[in-house]
Amino acid sequence: MFNMGDILSQLFYIALHVLLFVMIVKAVRFFIKHMTKMINLESKRDEYMID
């Protein structure tokens, strides 16, 4: 049989990695959204410059 402490530590370890992964995904998505917004602003500014 499994030791209860081992199971808990294993679950904690997995949960920690899942949480870390989720945080990274959210950060990357936020960064990409921010970057696209910045690029849109840049292109708009370029259009105004051309006018």
Side-chain angles (χ1 to χ4, degrees), residues 17-27:
H17 277 79
V18 169
L19 195 71
L20 197 69
F21 181 71
V22 168
M23 292 270 282
I24 290 164
V25 168
K26 280 190 176 181

Side-chain angles (χ1 to χ4, degrees), residues 24-34:
I24 290 164
V25 168
K26 280 190 176 181
V28 167
R29 279 176 64 183
F30 175 76
F31 186 70
I32 289 166
K33 203 190 292 182
H34 223 68

Side-chain angles (χ1 to χ4, degrees), residues 30-50:
F30 175 76
F31 186 70
I32 289 166
K33 203 190 292 182
H34 223 68
M35 286 298 289
T36 53
K37 204 180 284 178
M38 291 293 279
I39 290 161
N40 287 343
L41 286 173
E42 289 284 322
S43 62
K44 275 182 186 148
R45 204 166 69 198
D46 291 344
E47 283 167 27
Y48 289 137
M49 288 284 206
I50 292 161

